[in-house]
Structures are given as C-alpha cells and as structure tokens.
Amino acid sequence: MFVAPDPGRMRLRNSARAVVGVAAAVALAELCGLSRTASITGGLAALLALFTVLDASLPAQRVTTALLPVAGFPVLALATTLHGVPLARDAAFLAVVFAGVHARRWGPRGHALGVFGFMMFFVTQFLHAVPGQLPGLYAAVALALLAAGAVRFALWPIERRTPPAAAPPGLPGTGLARPTTRQAFQATAACAFALAIGQALSEDRWYWAVGTAWWIFVNTTSRGETLVRGFRRVVGTVTGIAAGLLIAVPLHGAPLPTAALVAVCVFGIFYTAAPSYSWMMFFVTVMAGLLYGLLGVLHPGLLLLRFQETAIGALGAALAVVTVLPVTTHAANEAWIQRALTCVRAATAASRDRLAGDPDADPAPHAAELELLLARVRTALAPLVHPLSPLRARKARARQVLALLDDCARQVRGLVAVAADPQASHDARLAAACRRVEVAVEALTTPRSTPQPFVPAPAPAPAEPALAHLHDLEHALVALAAPLHSDPRAPLVITA
C-alpha cells in the first residue's frame, strides 16, 4: 500500500498539506482561547474540508468550502439542542443521514455538504456537546475552514499546478431507479438498525455504530461494493484497536506526544484513502483512541466497545443493502463498463478527426475520462475479484475484463499521444481502422447484439504507430465479448 503508484507525488503532497491545514485549525482555536471540545471540532472541520471537497475546478472548490457552514451550522445547533432529548435526537440524526446521502445526486458538492452535515451531528455526540458550547463550536468551525482554505488555496495550491480530474457522474435514473435515492433509504435503514442495537449496547457510545454504517455507504454503488467495504472497515478497525492498545492507552492523554501521533494519523488517512480503505480505517481508529485519551476517558474496555459498535454498524449496512431496494453488483458493473466502452469510442473518433486535420478535435479529455471510469470499474468489480469471493467463474471473468480494459486504456493513451503530434499522417487505412474499433464497441454496447465473427486486420508496419494502437485496441475489444456476453456462471472459455 505504501508503495502504491503516486504520480507526481500528489498523494504525498496532499497528505502533508492536510497535516498543515488541520494543525493550523487547531492552533487558531487554541490561540483564541476556545475549549478543547471546540478545538477538536475545528480540527475535524478542517480535515473534512480538505478531504471531501473534490470539485473539478479551483473556483468550484472555493464555493463548496464556503458553503460548508451552510450545511454544518444548522446541524450543530440541532444536535446540541436535542442532545438531552433522545427520541427527538435520534429522529433528527436519521433525517440528517437521509438528506446527506440523497444530496449525492448533485455530484461532488452535494457529497461534500452531506458528509459535512452528518459529521457535525456525529461530533456533537462524540464530544457530548451542549447548547452552551455552541458559540465556541461555531467559532472553531469558522476558523478551521478559514485555515484550511488558506492552506489549500493560497499557501499550498497543489491543484493550481495539476488540476484535479472531474469525477464521473453517478449512474443515471429517476425516482427509486436512481442509485443515490436507493442508497439514501438503505443508509437510513442501516443507521436506524445501528442506532437501536448500538444504544442497547451502550447509551454513551452508540454513535460509533451509526458512523460505521454511514461511512460504509460512502463511494459505493452496488450491494457487493458495500459488503466489501464493510468487511474492510472491520479489518481496519480491529487492527487500529490493537495499535491503540499499544500506543494510545500508555500515553494517558499526554498532550505533546498525542498531538504528534494525531498528525501522523491525519497524514496516514489522506495517504492511504485511495489505495486501501482498511489502512485508512486503521489510522482513523488510532486517531479516535488518541482523542479519547486527550479527553481523559480512554481505557481498554472503551476500545473493545468501539469494535462491538463497528461490528453492529457493518451488520446493519450488510442487512440494508441486501433487503432495502438493492442495487445488484452485476447491474452496477455493466453500467460502468458500458460507459467506459463508450468513452473508448469517443476517444477513438476524436483521435481520427484530429489526425484528419480538425484543430477542434481533442481526444485528451476523453482519455482522462476513461482513466476515471476505469477506476470506477475497478471499484465496481472489487467484490468479484476479492480473495474471499467463492464465485470462481465470475472472478475469472472480472479479472479478464479488467485486464482487457486496461489494455484498451493503454492503446487509447498511445493513440492520443500520436494524434497530438502535428507531423502524424492520416490516410484511408486509419479511417477504416477507427471504423472497425467503433463497430467492435457497438457490438459490446448494443443490447442483445448478435456476435459477429472476427476477421483480424493485417498487422500494420512498425512505422505506423496510430494503426498499431488501433489494431491492438480492436483485438482487446473483440476479446471482451467472451467475458461480457457469455453466461457468468459457466466456466470461462477464451477463443483465439
């Protein structure tokens, strides 16, 4: 995981920037004489602002960051006011859950605002905040967002050098056919289960079960994705608890070493989020233990309770995705694969037009979008290629699909590079090769299309790189017909 590819050292720089941003937020709160509860709330607000705001442009990121208080302040007021009224508090928490998940239909901004609102309710339970502390909490959150914004947009503007790629929009649909709407009902059901069972286990720490159920639904679409994410969360929590027993408990909340280790955890959360959810949860769990130590309430029994509440939340999420408006893994996989194939066709067509002399044709955006879609395909197929998956035939298909789509992306990157060369030539053979690629994509994306026999085109000469990329791309697309169009339960047979 720590040796995972990090092009341009973006993960490293983003993680280091997060440590600076969170530290600045906490330092501002302390300098202003705010309480420890307010300082922790401010640190969390800065972490969320740097972690969840993922708009595709810097201006959009600034707007989303500025809008975070719009979602967070009313929730803070609601949560602190209802802190001593359990039934009303629980109903309000579930309403925040539903609204926060449903907001994902509006893309990255809706996602960020929904997460921020949920976590503001969560942190009031974590810190047992009451209405009298509300002014300090508001001040800490405002200072934290100013500090995070200053670090992100002025002191260390990583995105100015390398603009972030726009995340692919979610799967389409209306009403209950929309995946985000289904997820809103699923997450609310899961959190209701977690809340009820979690409170039966502990009247003081039940919120960990709700938080577990909520975060399992973040960045997932299908039933299989959610189940795998729940498993990984439990693994990360268990290992984090073991580390907490060895690290956090012996510190007894000593301020300086605790602050240093929290900074390490913040770095670890950001650095591991993309390649490994289990590692990210490891650092989250260790950080939570350190904060409990800082508050003077940490003991081994509390860490055991943390594991039990996590297990309850994961169970609630598993039950919800299976029983409440389920989105099957197969349906989500097919939708993302179809979008990736359509993007391959668009990139090929734009490359052909560029090579034909059209200055307005630009295949590069399509190639960048393809990379993002393939990342989404890998996430969607993760349940099938998981080591514990018992579905051997489907696992073999998923692995072949991933290998062939990676090959498609490699050939598209090469084709785009050739198209960017002003000296590259264009002839009738290239147009014919592009047409063959489009036919191959149509055969894969047209419902119930009859597979056509594949007659390979003659291999191009080595001096014709565009034709070579198109030739290999066509072969990869034709090979995809076997895993995509055959019975998923039957053994995979690959024909030459």
Side-chain angles (χ1 to χ4, degrees):
M1 183 279 309
F2 286 101
V3 296
D6 186 14
R9 297 184 179 178
M10 285 295 294
R11 284 195 298 127
L12 179 64
R13 289 188 286 168
N14 191 41
S15 304
R17 183 178 66 178
V19 173
V20 174
V22 173
V26 174
L28 270 178
E30 292 290 326
L31 288 173
C32 292
L34 299 178
S35 66
R36 180 162 293 178
T37 295
S39 296
I40 293 175
T41 303
L44 176 65
L47 187 151
L48 291 170
L50 294 165
F51 190 80
T52 65
V53 177
L54 299 173
D55 302 86
S57 67
L58 280 173
Q61 290 176 9
R62 294 189 187 100
V63 171
T64 301
T65 302
L67 288 175
L68 291 177
V70 176
F73 282 1
V75 172
L76 275 174
L78 181 66
T80 54
T81 301
L82 298 179
H83 184 73
V85 190
L87 289 179
R89 175 202 63 199
D90 297 347
F93 204 177
L94 294 178
V96 170
V97 168
F98 184 89
V101 178
H102 193 259
R104 295 173 192 169
R105 65 178 295 182
W106 290 288
R109 179 166 296 159
H111 171 80
L113 296 178
V115 170
F116 196 81
F118 173 86
M119 289 304 295
M120 289 299 100
F121 207 113
F122 179 90
V123 77
T124 61
Q125 312 310 312
F126 178 81
L127 298 171
H128 298 284
V130 294
Q133 296 173 301
L134 196 57
L137 297 180
Y138 279 172
V141 171
L143 289 171
L145 296 181
L146 287 173
V151 171
R152 182 172 196 166
F153 303 120
L155 179 63
W156 205 337
I158 298 172
E159 291 86 356
R160 187 176 299 169
R161 184 181 305 174
T162 307
L171 298 179
T174 57
L176 289 179
R178 187 190 298 272
T180 51
T181 302
R182 288 180 170 237
Q183 269 205 329
F185 284 102
Q186 290 174 345
T188 304
C191 289
F193 174 90
L195 189 151
I197 306 300
Q199 286 185 352
L201 183 64
S202 170
E203 294 183 358
D204 292 328
R205 310 297 178 190
W206 55 269
Y207 48 83
W208 280 120
V210 179
T212 294
W214 160 273
W215 279 101
I216 285 174
F217 282 93
V218 174
N219 294 328
T220 62
T221 301
S222 70
R223 178 172 56 198
E225 287 180 53
T226 308
L227 292 173
V228 168
R229 193 175 178 90
F231 171 78
R232 290 173 175 167
R233 185 177 183 99
V234 172
V235 170
T237 300
V238 169
T239 54
I241 288 172
L245 289 170
L246 298 174
I247 299 171
V249 173
L251 284 179
H252 301 294
L256 289 180
T258 296
L261 287 172
V262 167
V264 172
C265 289
V266 170
F267 182 91
I269 289 169
F270 279 76
Y271 194 75
T272 62
S276 175
Y277 184 68
S278 293
W279 271 105
M280 187 190 81
M281 284 313 307
F282 168 85
F283 286 109
V284 168
T285 303
V286 174
M287 185 175 72
L290 291 167
L291 293 177
Y292 273 129
L294 201 61
L295 294 170
V297 296
L298 181 64
H299 55 85
L302 186 64
L303 294 178
L304 175 61
L305 180 62
R306 172 85 165 89
F307 165 72
Q308 293 170 327
E309 296 285 357
T310 296
I312 290 169
L315 177 60
L319 292 173
V321 295
V322 171
T323 61
V324 181
L325 301 172
V327 178
T328 65
T329 304
H330 176 75
N333 292 346
E334 185 176 15
W336 288 113
I337 291 170
Q338 295 280 314
R339 287 176 64 173
L341 292 171
T342 301
C343 191
V344 168
R345 180 170 54 190
T348 303
S351 297
R352 176 197 59 207
D353 294 342
R354 184 64 173 265
L355 288 167
D358 183 354
D360 296 326
D362 186 5
H366 299 294
E369 181 186 5
L370 178 59
E371 297 294 341
L372 293 171
L373 288 170
L374 288 186
R376 200 61 191 80
V377 169
R378 293 186 193 97
T379 301
L381 290 176
L384 296 179
V385 299
H386 194 275
L388 297 181
S389 173
L391 307 174
R392 294 186 178 181
R394 295 192 181 192
K395 183 185 293 187
R397 277 178 171 73
R399 285 175 174 168
Q400 190 190 19
V401 167
L402 289 174
L404 290 171
L405 286 176
D406 283 339
D407 191 22
C408 289
R410 185 164 50 252
Q411 303 307 328
V412 166
R413 286 194 297 268
L415 181 62
V416 170
V418 173
D421 183 0
Q423 303 300 320
S425 60
H426 177 274
D427 57 28
R429 292 176 303 162
L430 192 142
C434 288
R435 178 56 188 158
R436 289 172 67 87
V437 167
E438 292 175 5
V439 169
V441 171
E442 289 170 5
L444 293 171
T445 56
T446 302
R448 297 183 181 180
S449 62
T450 302
Q452 299 296 321
F454 173 55
V455 180
E464 300 170 320
L467 287 174
H469 288 303
L470 288 167
H471 179 268
D472 293 342
L473 179 58
E474 182 186 1
H475 274 262
L477 290 169
V478 171
L480 275 167
L484 293 182
H485 286 170
S486 56
D487 185 348
R489 292 167 294 184
L492 183 60
V493 178
I494 303 174
T495 57

